[in-house]
Amino acid sequence: MGGAVRTHVRHPASDGEAEIATVSPSPAVRRGRFLALEGGEGAGKSTQAERLADDLRRLGHEVVVTREPGATTVGAALRQLLLDPDAQLTDRTEALLYAADRAEHVARVVRPALEHGAVVITDRYVDSSVAYQGYGRGLDPAIVLQLSRWATGDLVPDLTVLLDLPVADGLARARARGRLAGAPTDRIEAETRAFFERIRAGFRQLHDTAPERYALIDAAADPDEVAAAVRHAVQQVLAGDGEVLSA
Ligand SMILES: Nc1ncnc2c1ncn2[C@@H]1O[C@H](COP(=O)(O)OP(=O)(O)OP(=O)(O)O)[C@@H](O)[C@H]1O
Ligand SMILES: [Mg+2]
């Protein structure tokens, strides 16, 4: 996968018959750098997105912090639907709605910011769909990935920071923070644990298929240590542009 996206376009011929031409869309200008933060519930994505943004801004970078789902007007409506426990979405519907949110996000927020030269930090991206809807829900991960690639026009982050944390630790953090509130029954707790174990394994699997595009970081360390590890990994990517990012 990857490479040029080829689009089939119908041109009406002069005699009224249609012919099919194959064209490549002009590649979008990309001047900024695109960073994704991924990981399970409570791994520290939002915490680290803000800390990284602060670090980069201090060094003079223009930074856009954004998140999925819900970073656009349409996305906010989709987020409400996606997070509504009464919505009763089928797994495929859920996957399609996340892809729709992502299409809006990339077209209206991420690409414009990259074209402007910003460092864009997104709190969740394609890997979350592959991990949750694919490995977690049991849809074919390859199809979930294909859907997101189509939705984004194949926009792949320069670096994906994967914050890896034992499931129990992430759930405990999320619960302490007020999400996943209440005392779940044993059955639901067991389901939750198995679901999130599949997601964690899915994220790690994604890392293993292309480790050069990832920074796999132990998210159990304290926030300062995690931030330093994230900064170090991002430094490699920005240094590749001839920029120097000092600690
Ligand atoms: N390294 C850390 N050590 C201990 N606690 C942390 C650490 N990083 C974040 N936390 C705390 O854990 C909770 C979850 O962190 P955060 O909201 O950043 O995670 P998240 O990955 O964005 O979660 P979600 O997937 O639910 O959005 C917060 O209360 C945060 O203060
Ligand atoms: Mg968060």
Side-chain angles (χ1 to χ4, degrees):
M1 306 243 282
V5 181
R6 301 186 77 78
T7 309
H8 296 275
V9 181
R10 275 183 171 273
H11 292 294
S14 54
D15 61 1
E17 286 181 20
E19 65 179 38
I20 304 293
T22 303
V23 297
S24 292
S26 56
V29 180
R30 265 187 73 187
R31 293 166 48 223
R33 282 294 169 263
F34 186 29
L35 310 172
L37 282 165
E38 295 279 17
E41 313 292 308
K45 299 176 296 296
S46 303
T47 303
Q48 295 300 328
E50 289 303 332
R51 294 197 53 157
L52 178 61
D54 287 347
D55 286 344
L56 294 176
R57 285 186 185 121
R58 257 196 298 276
L59 292 163
H61 292 276
E62 181 187 345
V63 180
V64 173
V65 181
T66 184
R67 69 165 183 180
E68 295 190 353
T72 60
T73 306
V74 168
L78 292 171
R79 180 183 177 91
Q80 206 168 20
L81 198 51
L82 282 162
L83 302 186
D84 176 359
D86 299 326
Q88 298 194 331
L89 305 172
T90 69
D91 292 346
R92 289 179 190 216
T93 304
E94 183 184 75
L96 288 163
L97 292 180
Y98 274 111
D101 171 73
R102 186 160 299 127
E104 286 291 306
H105 186 212
V106 165
R108 300 190 192 283
V109 177
V110 179
R111 281 194 193 272
L114 290 175
E115 284 161 22
H116 193 253
V119 178
V120 178
I121 302 171
T122 184
D123 181 344
R124 294 195 182 279
Y125 192 55
V126 172
D127 286 17
S128 279
S129 281
V130 179
Y132 281 73
Q133 280 70 56
Y135 292 98
R137 299 279 191 226
L139 299 175
D140 182 342
I143 291 178
V144 177
L145 175 61
Q146 185 63 39
L147 199 57
S148 272
R149 287 201 163 158
W150 182 76
T152 63
D154 267 329
L155 182 68
V156 178
D158 295 289
L159 179 72
T160 296
V161 174
L162 175 52
L163 297 174
D164 183 55
L165 186 68
V167 168
D169 297 1
L171 292 178
R173 282 187 195 173
R175 212 168 269 131
R177 198 194 44 189
R179 291 241 341 248
L180 305 169
T185 67
D186 288 348
R187 188 183 60 78
I188 294 170
E189 173 76 1
E191 270 183 19
T192 303
R193 285 293 291 275
F195 177 66
F196 288 118
E197 292 291 357
R198 289 198 298 278
I199 288 166
R200 184 187 186 200
F203 275 126
R204 294 174 67 110
Q205 174 89 26
L206 286 167
H207 162 272
D208 292 347
T209 57
E212 68 285 355
R213 288 200 282 106
Y214 286 83
L216 176 59
I217 288 174
D218 175 10
D222 76 61
D224 288 346
E225 276 182 64
V226 176
V230 172
R231 196 165 56 228
H232 179 75
V234 168
Q235 182 172 7
Q236 312 299 311
V237 170
L238 297 187
D241 298 341
E243 297 190 38
V244 178
L245 178 64
S246 54

